[in-house]
Amino acid sequence: MSVFTKVSHTELQDFLKQYPVGELIGFQGIGEGVENTNYFVDTTDGRWVLTLFERLNYADLPFFLGLMDHIASRGLPGAMPARTHAGENLVSLNGKPAAMVRRLVGQSVLFPTLEQCKQVGRSLGELHVATASYPGRCENSRGVAWRENTGRGLLAHVDADTRALIEDELRAQAALDWNTLPQGVIHADLFRDNVLFVDDRLTGLIDFYYACNDSLLYDLAITLNDWCTEPEGAPNAARWNAMVSAYRSRRGITPAESDAWPLVLRAAALRFWLSRLWDWTFPREGDVVHMKDPNAYRRILEHHRTHAPMACEKPGDGKRET
């Protein structure tokens, strides 16, 4: 959630006239994330998050905003997009597509508890069930082809050890047939900074702008890699098992998924290592730009490559929780 496009007080005042949100009280840029420009906006009618989309275009955005409506309307703790007086949830600001969503209560956590991991796993499983009825479709812009192309594009700009690791992992990933795995709409970026809590109560799932159609298991792997690993890249067994068990209480794991699990975990780590390494190698300009250390995900990938993975549990042995 970096700030690449500046918005003045006057520009924002004029922009807000399109919405039934009252008068502007104040706003500030959000200096986290790496893709879009985001502001916290306070008005006399509440608190909001304004997003200016830096890379996504108008044609892509109805999928994401419609998905957020779909999720919130089914009782999941997602942010409902605001609509203008004309009923639109997508407009423009300073030449960029823009949308506002109600700001949810709660804060992200840096050091999650077992109960928080359990709630994230359960909510992710519920999300996968809820999105099965969503009619929209969006290919994963950071999927197999992107990982291959980005990895190849970095080879000339990295040291020999990094080049060898990228090449070897891309060769290994070529053996995985993603079409054998259950598919659906996934969040694809459910990191700790995209989940809100009040104490141990999960109050918000946010930032659906990487959501896409892909392997459901891949979404679980992405989430586990962020929430349930230690700084050296190894899994935290207690947090890992809590999240997996809670996820499986809402959606079971198939035999094909169990077989593919080692490579799926590695693919999830590879995706974020490559994106961070790319941003580190080719930094973007912005007023407030937050770049994340690529080595954190290199360590996770290297651990998955050299150790037997913690299980996603045996298929069919989960019992639905109440």
Side-chain angles (χ1 to χ4, degrees), residues 224-239:
L224 285 164
N225 279 342
D226 179 68
W227 285 82
C228 304
T229 53
E230 301 290 359
E232 70 273 15
N236 177 292
R239 296 205 304 268

Side-chain angles (χ1 to χ4, degrees), residues 191-229:
F191 277 43
R192 284 165 286 172
D193 55 359
N194 286 331
V195 182
L196 305 178
F197 286 90
V198 173
D199 297 324
D200 274 346
R201 179 171 61 90
L202 194 155
T203 57
L205 304 173
I206 62 174
D207 198 359
F208 280 83
Y209 302 120
Y210 278 113
C212 58
N213 291 80
D214 207 321
S215 159
L216 301 177
L217 190 69
Y218 178 63
D219 212 14
L220 177 60
I222 288 171
T223 309
L224 285 164
N225 279 342
D226 179 68
W227 285 82
C228 304
T229 53

Side-chain angles (χ1 to χ4, degrees), residues 9-27 41-44 48 50 84-85 93 100:
H9 190 276
T10 299
E11 289 168 339
L12 185 54
Q13 277 186 316
D14 291 340
F15 173 80
L16 291 177
K17 291 177 182 177
Q18 302 173 87
Y19 292 91
V21 298
E23 299 297 321
L24 177 64
I25 296 174
F27 70 106
V41 177
D42 292 335
T43 73
T44 53
W48 311 86
L50 167 65
T84 66
H85 294 292
L93 177 58
M100 287 221 308

Side-chain angles (χ1 to χ4, degrees), residues 66-77 80 126 129-135:
L67 176 62
M68 293 163 70
D69 270 326
H70 182 88
I71 290 165
S73 68
R74 279 155 179 76
L76 282 130
M80 186 81 75
E126 291 172 350
V129 172
T131 58
S133 59
Y134 183 59

Side-chain angles (χ1 to χ4, degrees), residues 140-152 170 178 274:
N140 188 353
S141 62
R142 301 290 175 98
V144 175
W146 179 91
R147 294 192 291 272
E148 176 76 23
N149 293 335
T150 301
R152 298 294 176 196
L170 290 177
W178 291 89
L274 291 178

Side-chain angles (χ1 to χ4, degrees), residues 309-322:
M310 289 197 63
C312 57
E313 301 295 333
K314 295 179 181 179
D317 63 352
K319 290 182 171 59
R320 183 174 178 83
E321 296 178 358
T322 59

